Amino acid sequence: MSRYFYLRPDKATWATYKGEFNAVPKWGLPGLKDCPGCGASWSSWGTHYPAVDLSELPERHEFEEARQEPFHEFVRLRELVRPLAPPNSKLPPGTDFGPLVGPASGRLAPFSGLESCWIVVRRDTFDSLQAAGVRGLLGCKTELKFRQKTPPELIELQIEPRGLLHRDCLPPDLAPPCTTCGRQGFTLPDDPILDEASLPTDTDLFRVGNFATVIIGTDRFKDAVEQGGWEGIKFRELPVR
């Protein structure tokens, strides 16, 4: 049986590398204003599909400005991008698409971006992860702009929502998801537990489906990172039930 690890940024490496970037995804769905089912106005964070290219979509300009929209308008925009997204994607309000865009400077660690719930790696790191047999990797070129003459090639990993947090670690009085917008509001428990029955068996890297800012790697992913000596990432093993 695989072991599963919550991936967090290793802030101790920031002083060593001193690189940074200030980026946003190129396109995104709007947030939702006043859901007719639950009344909530909300937007998700962490659901990002960098491999989904909206550049040929005639309505692409409608995905360039962060904002909130009423439910009927959100649904219209969501259905425009659904054919371009991975099959069975839920696409909640605030889902992002396309490459990271923005300025970057300095020397980045082999793994960066985790503080924003992304994983950006150098090309050599990505190639080595693939060579080590890490499953399910999808790498997408970023559009980060460096000032130096020979900028590094940076790859963002597309990490899709798959498994779930187990019901045992959630509040006992938690209401079910809204049947209209899908929102289920709760804070991340101090001691997360993963739902074994929901976990994917074909990838070594995924987001938690009901808390997309939580990125999970298997022991195969952890072993590849540690054997490569790559910095910028910390591992916290989570129980499975």
Side-chain angles (χ1 to χ4, degrees):
M1 176 179 169
S2 294
R3 297 162 64 198
Y4 297 90
F5 299 85
Y6 180 15
L7 311 185
R8 300 296 295 143
D10 184 359
K11 297 180 181 179
T13 64
W14 293 358
T16 302
Y17 288 89
K18 299 181 179 178
E20 61 181 3
F21 59 85
N22 183 15
V24 294
K26 197 164 191 175
W27 302 286
L29 286 173
L32 177 59
K33 181 179 181 180
D34 301 329
C35 171
C38 65
S41 295
W42 67 286
S43 182
S44 65
W45 181 258
T47 309
H48 179 204
Y49 296 98
V52 174
D53 183 2
L54 306 188
S55 60
E56 298 300 317
L57 193 68
E59 301 88 351
R60 63 187 177 277
H61 65 280
E62 298 187 58
F63 300 89
E64 294 173 355
E65 178 186 354
R67 64 196 187 280
Q68 289 186 329
E69 294 284 3
F71 184 70
H72 68 276
E73 177 65 2
F74 163 73
V75 169
R76 181 184 73 85
L77 294 169
R78 182 186 64 190
E79 298 313 305
L80 285 175
V81 298
R82 188 179 295 283
L84 303 174
N88 303 314
S89 302
K90 290 187 176 180
L91 306 180
T95 298
D96 291 317
F97 309 100
L100 292 174
V101 178
S105 62
R107 178 171 171 251
L108 295 175
F111 284 87
S112 57
L114 273 158
E115 66 278 3
S116 297
C117 306
W118 305 318
I119 294 186
V120 175
V121 298
R122 302 189 311 227
R123 165 59 77 176
D124 60 324
T125 305
F126 179 73
D127 291 343
S128 297
L129 287 171
Q130 287 193 308
V134 175
R135 300 170 302 165
L137 293 181
L138 177 56
C140 311
K141 288 186 178 181
T142 71
E143 293 186 8
L144 300 176
K145 299 298 183 183
F146 287 82
R147 292 183 178 179
Q148 56 254 50
K149 293 182 179 179
T150 55
E153 183 180 356
L154 297 176
I155 304 294
E156 184 188 2
L157 303 182
Q158 178 162 298
I159 310 167
E160 298 180 17
R162 300 288 295 273
L164 299 171
L165 293 176
H166 196 282
R167 188 67 181 83
D168 289 353
C169 71
L170 302 180
D173 59 348
L174 181 64
C178 172
T179 56
T180 300
C181 70
R183 181 179 183 272
Q184 187 177 38
F186 61 91
T187 58
L188 182 66
D190 293 335
D191 297 304
I193 301 170
L194 298 176
D195 183 347
E196 181 177 7
S198 72
L199 300 178
T201 58
D202 58 346
T203 183
D204 292 307
L205 194 64
F206 58 94
R207 297 182 184 275
V208 172
N210 53 354
F211 216 104
T213 57
V214 176
I215 300 175
I216 301 295
T218 66
D219 45 0
R220 185 197 301 260
F221 177 80
K222 179 176 182 286
D223 290 346
V225 171
E226 292 179 342
Q227 290 169 12
W230 300 308
E231 297 176 292
I233 191 168
K234 292 196 303 183
F235 298 90
R236 174 188 171 187
E237 186 168 4
L238 296 184
V240 175
R241 188 175 300 170

